[in-house]
Amino acid sequence: MITEVYPNIFKNEIPLPKNPLKAINSYIIISENRNLIIDTGFNTEECLTELTKGLEELNIDLKKTDLLITHMHTDHSGLAPALKKSGVQSIYFSQIDGDLFNQTSKRDSFYHTLNQIFGFKTDNSLRFGKEFGTRLVEPLEFSPLNEGNEIIIGDYCFEVVDIPGHTPGHIGLYERKHRLFFCGDHVLDAITPNISFWGFEQDILSTYLNSLNKLYQYEIDYLFTAHRKIIRDHQKRIIELINHHEERLKEILLILQDGKKTASEMAAAMHWDVSHKKWEDFPHSQKWFASGEALSHLEHLVHIGLVDRIDKTEKLFYGIPE
């Protein structure tokens, strides 16, 4: 469904069937000479149909159109190859997430490692269901963007802003004159972005919180999110998200008072605002995302010295230092 949310800026709400996110907001910015699409939806027929319907409704000429992907998750990037084949010109990514999008073998190896950490069967590492779409096989040619790069569409001048955390190379677009910000999944209304584990060498939760504090400083009237509602008071929502993660950390420390746990054991003991009341009833994909978020919080506590990581017989446990 196409809605004009600001002059010459349209929200194309693309349903995500059988997914708790429900839909993705793909944005289309139009001008006489150049257009820009921001994010795409999964690589599924349903998403492609809805995306195409919105583009046709606006009479978008893909040969005069570029595509920007805020981050590499497949609900945002899945249809990039299809749009490229249909005539889209430049495809923009951050260097980090563009490489992650293309490095399928490295990504598969990382997922298998995570499943071992979580204690899941490794042969289920990518079984998230057909609703997540099929993945890229051939590498996608993209133009990397860096902080401070500009994209000019009509009267709008968008500045690239690095906002890592949800993924290591997440980026946003800021229009200073009009006080607009396209933030992908960095800040969402009503739901909290998943902050997962991306490697032991980095404290990704700290990275995310730093990016939230960075965005807090911007003057923004419209925060264009990738899911749910557009946010008009970004500072209020950012404070709510920071408080949410502080409560998560307190919850984990309280649970660890009963003894050391693996990441998936921690996830099973934590509270989640989902329809499934028992951990055993969670779909595999939801167990995976919950365990990843539990692990990112556990690793943050390791980095700040409040929790120990204990490696025992190919299983990682976390506990309060003795």
Side-chain angles (χ1 to χ4, degrees):
M1 182 174 66
I2 284 286
T3 308
E4 188 170 19
V5 292
Y6 203 80
N8 293 325
I9 298 177
F10 295 82
K11 181 180 74 171
N12 191 6
E13 189 174 350
I14 300 171
L16 303 175
K18 300 180 182 179
N19 190 290
L21 290 172
K22 298 181 180 179
I24 182 171
N25 300 327
S26 172
Y27 294 96
I28 306 166
I29 306 161
I30 67 173
S31 73
E32 185 177 345
N33 298 317
R34 206 83 197 143
N35 310 306
L36 181 70
I37 302 169
I38 300 176
D39 293 334
T40 71
F42 288 122
N43 183 20
T44 65
E45 286 299 324
E46 295 90 341
C47 286
L48 180 59
T49 297
E50 291 300 319
L51 176 64
T52 302
K53 188 186 299 181
L55 295 173
E56 290 176 348
E57 188 174 332
L58 295 175
N59 294 314
I60 297 298
D61 181 355
L62 291 181
K63 293 180 180 178
K64 295 169 51 179
T65 302
D66 299 318
L67 170 66
L68 181 136
I69 305 297
T70 58
H71 61 289
M72 53 75 66
H73 286 154
T74 53
D75 56 325
H76 295 256
S77 61
L79 289 172
L83 284 174
K84 183 66 175 177
K85 288 181 181 178
S86 297
V88 157
Q89 299 301 290
S90 295
I91 295 180
Y92 299 116
F93 258 112
S94 72
Q95 186 72 61
I96 293 173
D97 270 32
D99 288 343
L100 284 170
F101 180 80
N102 279 335
Q103 293 170 354
T104 54
S105 60
K106 184 177 180 180
R107 202 163 65 235
D108 286 354
S109 175
F110 179 66
Y111 290 158
H112 281 283
T113 299
L114 277 181
N115 276 335
Q116 290 174 339
I117 294 172
F118 297 158
F120 299 151
K121 292 181 180 180
T122 55
D123 60 354
N124 284 334
S125 63
L126 301 176
R127 292 183 185 175
F128 292 147
K130 293 181 180 179
E131 67 271 18
F132 286 82
T134 56
R135 296 180 304 136
L136 173 76
V137 176
E138 297 296 327
L140 179 70
E141 184 178 343
F142 67 91
S143 300
L145 292 176
N146 299 304
E147 170 115 7
N149 288 163
E150 294 182 347
I151 297 176
I152 297 174
I153 306 292
D155 294 331
Y156 294 117
C157 179
F158 297 102
E159 305 169 32
V160 177
V161 181
D162 291 335
I163 42 174
H166 181 61
T167 64
H170 197 307
I171 57 175
L173 286 184
Y174 182 50
E175 216 293 337
R176 191 173 299 273
K177 179 181 176 182
H178 293 268
R179 297 161 63 108
L180 314 175
F181 202 109
F182 293 86
C183 70
D185 281 1
H186 184 54
V187 175
L188 299 175
D189 177 70
I191 58 176
T192 56
N194 178 258
I195 308 304
S196 194
F197 174 78
W198 289 92
F200 293 109
E201 70 282 355
Q202 60 181 315
D203 179 356
I204 197 67
L205 178 59
S206 182
T207 297
Y208 176 66
L209 295 174
N210 288 339
S211 292
L212 284 180
N213 286 316
K214 176 180 180 179
L215 187 62
Y216 187 92
Q217 306 302 320
Y218 280 75
E219 295 181 349
I220 300 170
D221 289 337
Y222 290 83
L223 188 67
F224 294 118
T225 64
H227 304 284
R228 309 297 168 88
K229 295 179 181 178
I230 294 165
I231 295 173
R232 298 300 305 276
D233 188 346
H234 73 294
Q235 293 181 329
K236 177 177 179 290
R237 184 57 182 152
I238 285 172
I239 291 171
E240 291 171 350
L241 289 173
I242 291 172
N243 290 339
H244 164 78
H245 289 289
E246 288 178 351
E247 291 302 314
R248 271 276 187 244
L249 294 169
K250 291 176 184 177
E251 179 187 21
I252 287 172
L253 289 172
L254 183 62
I255 292 170
L256 287 178
Q257 295 296 328
D258 294 333
K260 64 182 184 293
K261 285 183 168 48
T262 65
S264 57
E265 288 170 345
M266 176 56 68
M270 293 166 66
H271 171 74
W272 304 97
D273 290 325
V274 296
S275 58
H276 304 281
K277 300 304 178 185
K278 295 190 300 182
W279 178 253
E280 293 76 18
D281 296 333
F282 278 40
H284 174 71
S285 60
Q286 292 304 306
K287 285 184 178 180
W288 201 89
F289 292 130
S291 297
E293 178 137 340
L295 185 54
S296 71
H297 286 67
L298 286 165
E299 279 296 313
H300 174 72
L301 292 168
V302 170
H303 277 266
I304 63 176
L306 294 181
V307 165
D308 283 342
R309 186 197 311 130
I310 307 143
D311 192 349
K312 286 189 175 181
T313 60
E314 298 184 357
K315 234 180 186 181
L316 289 179
F317 289 88
Y318 292 85
I320 303 295
E322 297 179 358

